[in-house]
Amino acid sequence: MQTTEELKKLLYKNETVADTAPDALSAAQEFCEGYKAFLDHGKTEREVTAYSEKLLLNAGYKPFVAGEKLSAGDKVYTINREKCVLAATIGTKSLEEGFHLNIAHIDSPRLDLRPVPVFEKNGLGYLRTHYYGGVRKYQWPTIPLALHGVVFRADGSKVEICIGEKDDDPVFCITDLLPHLGAKQNAKPLSEGISAEDLNVLIASQPIADKDAEQRVKLSVLGMLNEAYGITERDFTRAEIEVVPAHKARDIGLDRAMIGAYGHDDRVDAYPALMAEIGVQNPAYTTVCVLTDKEETGSDGVTGLQSMYTFHFLQQLCAAQGADYIKACKAGKCLSADVTAAFDPTFADAFEPDNGTYAGCGVAIYKYTGARGKSGTSDASAEMVSYLTNLMDKNQVVWQIGEMGKLDLGGGGTVAKFVANQDIDTIDIGVPVLSMHSPFEVVSKADVYMAYLTFKAFCEDAE
């Protein structure tokens, strides 16, 4: 008969990185300094793409040219419409034997300016916004905000805008009602306390000198923008300007073990995946890293993963090698890298503790995502889960497995199903996040590092 101690060894339980791999904590601190810089340089998908391209070029990647012969060890990349990154290192094996694909998304919940955004009301100048992705609208008022984006002028020239990030820049904000007059607002459900039409960004208050003019503050705003960027009100119809939090990534806690920042979802997986791709040398299987756009709104459009741009790139890689694309997909594997919810003791009622994932307990696997009855998920096979967990165990990666929360409270999806639909074995994996989709999300540095070790092992795997 087995002893109690022998039986206890049969149990599965989450263990912290601090207990399981204490030697990794200092490496996690060092790795996350690069990650914080990545966050601060990339608050929009365009900025992340530009910063990632610089990292790739510095690492010796060459622009991909369709039809050009590629040899084992070659590193190539391409950019899709300034919003997506695709990078690959050619393996020693034929692509018909498979490829290892890491995919993360680089768009984050935010506020976008409307096509005609500038207006004045009662002596204050505002910008109208349209929220992007699953924001909780009440979280966006009364925090410092910055403007990031591009505008195309009438002559077709492009100007980039970034206001609110430098120490001497002005910042912007959305106002809220004072508690003294908030009785009606307090009686509303949380989701209705701030409406979409309330998310107007305060941009100016000083009118032009002409007392007889109408819309004096709006004219002042347009005049300043024209002087600084050469744009007119009509040019906003040709613009992509995003309103994002103005703060930088900061260490959280006396122990500096966590990072608070805007955009962890999903740059916290994009950066480790990119760093693993950059670091791999002469892999057995061709490695491909994709940083994609539009996940927060369903992955539609030419820069979302429901389009064919990723799979066209894979087809072109196969063509350059004379490999059969269908065989390559059937033999390929993909890590769909996206965040999951970290168990939050303050809101414990939303979680099922035994199937929760916890900050500081390593990178999280989730066999399926979706909502309620597994709607909208690819549901990885047991074989794929076994492959990945064995790989991580072999490489001393601390990992955990679970679900997002209680089943009937909601749910969430990733890009995994769009990859799986191409006949590629796919599994979801990512860093647990506290306060997900808020303007200031929180992650554990140890979990970020364990995500990197997973992507690194996946890129280097030869079996």
Side-chain angles (χ1 to χ4, degrees):
M1 181 179 293
Q2 292 175 304
T3 66
T4 301
E5 291 304 312
E6 289 173 330
L7 290 171
K8 285 181 178 179
K9 293 179 181 179
L10 303 179
L11 295 171
Y12 166 78
K13 64 176 182 178
N14 288 334
E15 297 186 22
T16 66
V17 176
D19 289 337
T20 308
D23 293 342
L25 296 180
S26 60
Q29 289 282 352
E30 182 179 353
F31 181 80
C32 285
E33 289 304 303
Y35 173 51
K36 289 189 292 184
F38 184 81
L39 286 170
D40 290 342
H41 283 90
K43 288 192 174 180
T44 71
E45 61 277 20
R46 286 179 181 268
E47 292 171 351
V48 174
T49 297
Y51 190 74
S52 298
E53 184 174 23
K54 289 179 182 178
L55 295 176
L56 290 166
L57 289 170
N58 289 340
Y61 282 73
K62 304 297 183 185
F64 174 71
V65 178
E68 190 174 90
K69 182 176 174 57
L70 296 172
S71 302
D74 286 348
K75 287 178 170 287
V76 295
Y77 82 96
T78 189
I79 302 298
N80 177 28
R81 295 170 172 86
E82 310 303 322
K83 297 182 182 181
C84 309
V85 181
L86 303 97
T89 304
I90 306 304
T92 56
K93 296 176 180 283
S94 167
L95 275 161
E96 291 187 4
E97 296 183 65
F99 50 77
H100 286 189
L101 176 62
N102 287 320
I103 299 183
H105 70 88
I106 52 177
D107 62 317
S108 296
R110 61 177 188 258
L111 306 178
D112 288 339
L113 293 195
R114 294 190 185 185
V116 184
V118 185
F119 75 100
E120 175 184 342
K121 195 166 186 179
N122 297 110
L124 296 177
Y126 295 96
L127 296 172
R128 295 184 180 90
T129 68
H130 191 139
Y131 62 95
Y132 173 97
V135 305
R136 304 192 79 179
K137 293 185 277 291
Y138 75 88
Q139 295 176 335
W140 284 79
T142 73
I143 63 172
L145 299 171
L147 301 179
H148 292 238
V150 298
V151 183
F152 282 87
R153 293 175 284 221
D155 62 2
S157 60
K158 180 176 76 172
V159 60
E160 296 184 0
I161 291 178
C162 182
I163 311 172
E165 298 295 346
K166 298 177 182 177
D167 290 340
D168 58 350
D169 275 355
V171 295
F172 312 97
C173 71
I174 297 165
T175 59
D176 197 3
L177 188 61
L178 67 164
H180 312 69
L181 301 177
K184 288 185 178 180
Q185 185 188 47
N186 291 342
K188 294 180 180 180
L190 184 63
S191 61
E192 298 176 12
I194 297 292
S195 72
E197 303 302 329
D198 295 331
L199 295 174
N200 297 315
V201 177
L202 182 62
I203 191 172
S205 61
Q206 186 168 299
I208 62 171
D210 186 351
K211 294 182 179 180
D212 296 326
E214 296 182 357
Q215 302 188 86
R216 295 168 64 197
V217 176
K218 177 177 179 178
L219 288 175
S220 176
V221 169
L222 294 175
M224 287 184 288
L225 291 173
N226 182 259
E227 184 176 344
Y229 302 105
I231 61 175
T232 68
E233 185 173 23
R234 183 182 287 269
D235 292 334
F236 279 106
T237 65
R238 296 181 286 262
E240 289 181 1
I241 299 178
E242 302 174 16
V243 181
V244 299
H247 50 247
K248 296 184 182 300
R250 299 291 299 271
D251 288 346
I252 294 288
L254 296 175
D255 53 9
R256 297 182 177 269
M258 307 184 93
I259 303 170
Y262 165 70
H264 283 314
D265 182 6
D266 184 40
R267 292 158 197 156
V268 73
D269 293 309
Y271 180 75
L274 182 64
M275 289 300 99
E277 166 58 38
I278 286 174
V280 71
Q281 302 293 328
N282 299 309
Y285 295 96
T286 293
T287 62
V288 181
C289 176
V290 178
L291 308 184
T292 190
D293 182 28
K294 293 292 184 287
E295 191 278 340
E296 297 294 357
T297 56
S299 296
D300 294 300
V302 291
T303 56
L305 210 68
Q306 288 206 67
S307 83
M308 286 297 293
Y309 80 88
T310 293
F311 309 107
H312 286 160
F313 181 63
L314 293 172
Q315 289 170 2
Q316 290 174 322
L317 289 178
C318 286
Q321 223 181 55
D324 184 278
Y325 173 68
I326 295 176
K327 289 181 179 179
C329 286
K330 285 183 175 294
K333 293 183 176 68
C334 174
L335 301 187
S336 168
D338 205 345
V339 298
T340 190
F343 184 95
D344 191 332
T346 302
F347 305 101
D349 286 349
F351 299 88
E352 197 284 287
D354 287 343
N355 285 285
T357 53
Y358 295 77
C361 290
V363 68
I365 305 166
Y366 28 118
K367 187 175 183 293
Y368 43 81
T369 55
R372 297 177 176 86
K374 296 187 178 182
S375 174
T377 182
S378 68
D379 202 347
S381 67
E383 289 84 353
M384 188 63 181
V385 178
S386 176
Y387 162 78
L388 181 58
T389 54
N390 288 336
L391 177 68
M392 291 193 291
D393 287 343
K394 186 170 64 175
N395 287 275
Q396 291 77 54
V397 175
V398 182
W399 59 272
Q400 54 186 316
I401 191 166
E403 299 177 306
M404 182 170 283
K406 287 186 176 178
L407 302 186
D408 284 336
L409 291 185
T414 69
V415 301
K417 61 184 179 181
F418 308 124
V419 184
N421 288 347
Q422 299 295 318
D423 200 14
I424 301 169
D425 279 322
T426 306
I427 186 169
D428 284 301
I429 182 170
V431 173
V433 176
L434 291 164
S435 303
M436 189 196 297
H437 278 214
S438 77
F440 196 72
E441 301 169 312
V442 178
V443 298
S444 163
K445 292 180 180 179
D447 298 341
V448 179
Y449 187 61
M450 288 301 152
Y452 165 70
L453 292 183
T454 302
F455 300 131
K456 180 176 183 289
F458 185 55
C459 287
E460 295 174 350
D461 184 37
E463 298 179 6

